[in-house]
Amino acid sequence: MATKTVKPASAEEAAGSAGSDDSASPLLRVDGLAVSFGSKRVLDDVSFSVAPGELLAFLGANGSGKSTTLRAVAGLTPYQSGDIEVGGSHGRPAMVFQKIHLVARRSVLDNVCAGALGRMSSLASLHPWLFPAAIRREAMVALDRVGLADRATDRAGTLSGGQQQRVAVARALCQGAEVLLADEPVAALDPQAARTVMSLLRDLAHDEGLAVAAVLHQPDLAREFADTIIGLQSGEIVLRGTSEEISAEAITSLYTTAPIAEDE
C-alpha cells in the first residue's frame, strides 16, 4: 500500500550548507514509487532522495514521468505503491509550477501572502485586507530574498514573466516549507530570465539549506545549476549522477526512445 510519511527533521538535519552534504539526512526521500493511469504504468520503482542544500534536476523526454514524479510527491497525483517521506518542521513540500497562477489584479505582496493561507484563520484568509501583519512581514522577507521587494505594491500583472516566476517562488517560500518542488519553472521564460530563476533555486538550496527538486527541459541548465541529475525514460530512472559525472551523450540518449503516455 502506498504511504506518505511526514518526518520532522532535527535542527541539525534541516540546517543548510553551501551545496549538498552527503552526511546530512535527506529532507525528501522517495522509495519504490509507482504510478499507473488506468492500465498504463507511468512510473515504475522510482527512488531518490534530496538532502538539505541540494538541487536535484529531473531530465527526460515528454511523457517520461518527470512531472508525475513531482506531483505524486506533492500529493497532487495518486500513486499505487511506494514510500514518500517529507522532512523538515513544515512536513509538506511547497511547489512552483510552469503556469504561475498569480492573481494579476492583486499586488505582488498579496500574491506572496497567499502562500501562507494554510496557516491563517478562516477569517483572515477571506480577503487580503485581513492578512495578518506577521504574514505580510514574512512575505516581504520572501520578496527581498527573490530580489523583488521594491515591486511589492505593484500589480502582479505588470511584471515580466521571469519576475512573476520569482514571485511564485517567494509565494512558495511563504509556505514555510523546507522542500521545494519546481515543475518546469523556466519552460516559458527567455534564456536570461531562465538563468535568473535557476540561479535563485540553486541559491535557495545552497544558501538557505532547502531541498530543491526541479523538472527541466533544458539539459544545459541542469548541467550548470543542479548538484544531481536524474534521467527518466518510460517511467524508470536510467541515469543518475552529478553534472560532472554525466556526459552530454548520456543526456541526449534520454530523448531518443519513444516515451509512454503520461499526464504531464
Side-chain angles (χ1 to χ4, degrees):
M1 178 178 294
T3 61
K4 186 168 184 175
T5 304
V6 173
K7 185 180 180 183
S10 67
E12 290 79 8
E13 290 173 343
S17 61
S20 61
D21 181 355
D22 291 341
S23 65
S25 296
L27 280 170
L28 174 62
R29 189 191 305 274
V30 177
D31 183 36
L33 183 64
V35 174
S36 297
F37 297 142
S39 61
K40 180 69 71 175
R41 178 64 63 94
V42 297
L43 285 181
D44 189 16
D45 194 27
V46 169
S47 300
F48 64 93
S49 63
V50 190
E54 180 180 8
L55 171 56
L56 167 68
F58 287 97
L59 293 176
N62 288 336
S64 60
K66 306 180 304 298
S67 291
T68 296
T69 299
L70 288 199
R71 292 179 65 85
V73 171
L76 300 176
T77 293
Y79 55 99
Q80 284 63 53
S81 62
D83 296 305
I84 299 173
E85 294 182 1
V86 181
S89 57
H90 189 70
R92 293 190 305 275
M95 193 157 183
V96 177
F97 299 90
Q98 177 185 354
K99 295 181 180 178
I100 302 170
H101 300 300
L102 299 181
V103 181
R105 68 180 184 279
R106 296 290 185 192
S107 72
V108 167
L109 180 60
D110 286 346
N111 274 277
V112 175
C113 287
L117 286 174
R119 298 188 282 125
M120 297 184 200
S121 67
S122 298
L123 177 62
S125 66
L126 289 177
H127 195 279
W129 292 345
L130 303 175
F131 289 166
I135 296 297
R136 291 189 172 275
R137 287 194 293 271
E138 287 183 34
M140 282 302 302
V141 170
L143 277 173
D144 184 62
R145 184 64 188 84
V146 303
L148 289 173
D150 60 333
R151 304 298 299 270
T153 60
D154 294 349
R155 285 189 174 188
T158 66
L159 272 58
S160 67
Q163 290 171 330
Q164 289 187 27
Q165 191 61 282
R166 286 154 60 195
V167 172
V169 172
R171 180 178 58 191
L173 294 177
C174 208
Q175 294 181 36
E178 291 157 85
V179 176
L180 179 61
L181 310 176
D183 186 12
E184 301 185 30
V186 299
L189 305 182
D190 64 59
Q192 182 175 352
R195 294 192 79 261
T196 298
V197 170
M198 288 305 304
S199 180
L200 172 61
L201 294 178
R202 179 184 60 188
D203 290 348
L204 289 173
H206 292 183
D207 298 342
E208 309 294 336
L210 300 187
V212 183
V215 166
L216 296 176
H217 275 300
Q218 299 92 340
D220 57 327
L221 292 180
R223 290 173 64 87
E224 180 178 359
F225 291 101
D227 301 298
T228 306
I229 295 172
I230 285 180
L232 284 166
Q233 199 170 65
S234 299
E236 298 181 355
I237 292 177
V238 297
L239 192 64
R240 189 196 310 257
T242 67
S243 58
E244 292 79 12
E245 295 168 339
I246 296 176
S247 68
E249 291 77 13
I251 291 177
T252 299
S253 71
L254 295 172
Y255 303 90
T256 59
T257 300
I260 56 179
E262 184 202 357
D263 185 19
E264 283 198 269

